[in-house]
Amino acid sequence: MPDRKPTVQDQVDIYAQHAPQVRRLATRLTGNPQDAEDLTQDVFERVFTSLDRYEARNLAGWIHRITTNLFLDKARRAGRQPTSALTPAHEERLADGGSLPGDLIHDAGFDSDIEAALATLPSHLRVAVVLADVEQLEHAEIALVLGVKVGTVRTRVHRGRAALRRELAHREPRAGRTRVLGALGV
């Protein structure tokens, strides 16, 4: 959009197209709907104030990068890992109900113990795992989003998955139980 100043309609179109993905990613990164909504708002504020300078070819990738970087910046500033004091069941009751059907289907895939396990990961590992396993980005794409080397991404994804396996060990099959399509591929 560098050839003209973005219009309000451009902003509306961008928001309509990208908000569900940003909200979903923000929810996975922050661990709760309230922080995710704040992060989503911050992302689009940044997108719209920077849109006239945007020159890359991949708008979705640029928005992913903004989302991830804002999350990491907030986590660093807070000096702690963002977590929710509410259980996922309580969070669902408090949700604003404005989710699209596709969001609900996508979000229905994670049990509360998987959400809790993700929340235990340090933010740099959580981001890598969420971008790789939930958002299905290639390691090279994640490296671009995070501004790190591909090897660093591989290490973070590997360590994050290993930590998730430990956190989800209670889901492992025991004698007499059959394993059905492992949890989250971990």
Side-chain angles (χ1 to χ4, degrees), residues 25 29 58-70 72 76 127-128 131-132 135 137-150 153 156:
L25 176 59
L29 294 175
N58 183 352
L59 183 62
W62 181 61
I63 293 173
H64 254 94
R65 178 178 295 168
I66 290 171
T67 306
T68 304
N69 289 341
L70 284 175
L72 290 171
R76 275 187 223 115
V127 167
L131 291 177
E135 296 298 317
L137 296 181
E138 300 291 328
H139 288 169
E141 293 173 299
I142 298 169
L144 285 173
V145 167
L146 299 178
V148 298
K149 295 180 180 179
V150 174
V153 170
R156 290 177 181 179

Side-chain angles (χ1 to χ4, degrees), residues 1 23 34 37 42 46 56 58 63 74 76 89 91 105 112-113 117 125 138 141 145 150 159 162 174-175 185:
M1 298 198 176
R23 193 173 297 110
Q34 292 78 26
E37 205 51 50
D42 293 345
R46 175 78 54 90
N58 183 352
I63 293 173
K74 284 182 178 201
R76 275 187 223 115
E91 288 176 354
I105 290 168
S112 60
D113 58 339
L125 297 182
E138 300 291 328
E141 293 173 299
V145 167
V150 174
R159 288 180 181 165
R174 291 186 214 93

Side-chain angles (χ1 to χ4, degrees), residues 81-154:
Q81 167 180 323
T83 57
S84 174
L86 299 175
T87 66
H90 289 111
E91 288 176 354
E92 279 183 34
R93 285 190 208 136
L94 294 174
D96 64 352
S99 298
L100 298 171
D103 294 340
L104 296 174
I105 290 168
H106 184 278
D107 291 342
F110 283 178
D111 294 338
S112 60
D113 58 339
I114 295 175
E115 291 288 354
L118 277 170
T120 66
L121 295 178
S123 59
H124 68 285
L125 297 182
R126 184 181 329 142
V127 167
V129 170
V130 167
L131 291 177
D133 294 338
V134 177
E135 296 298 317
Q136 299 291 306
L137 296 181
E138 300 291 328
H139 288 169
E141 293 173 299
I142 298 169
L144 285 173
V145 167
L146 299 178
V148 298
K149 295 180 180 179
V150 174
T152 302
V153 170
R154 286 189 182 113

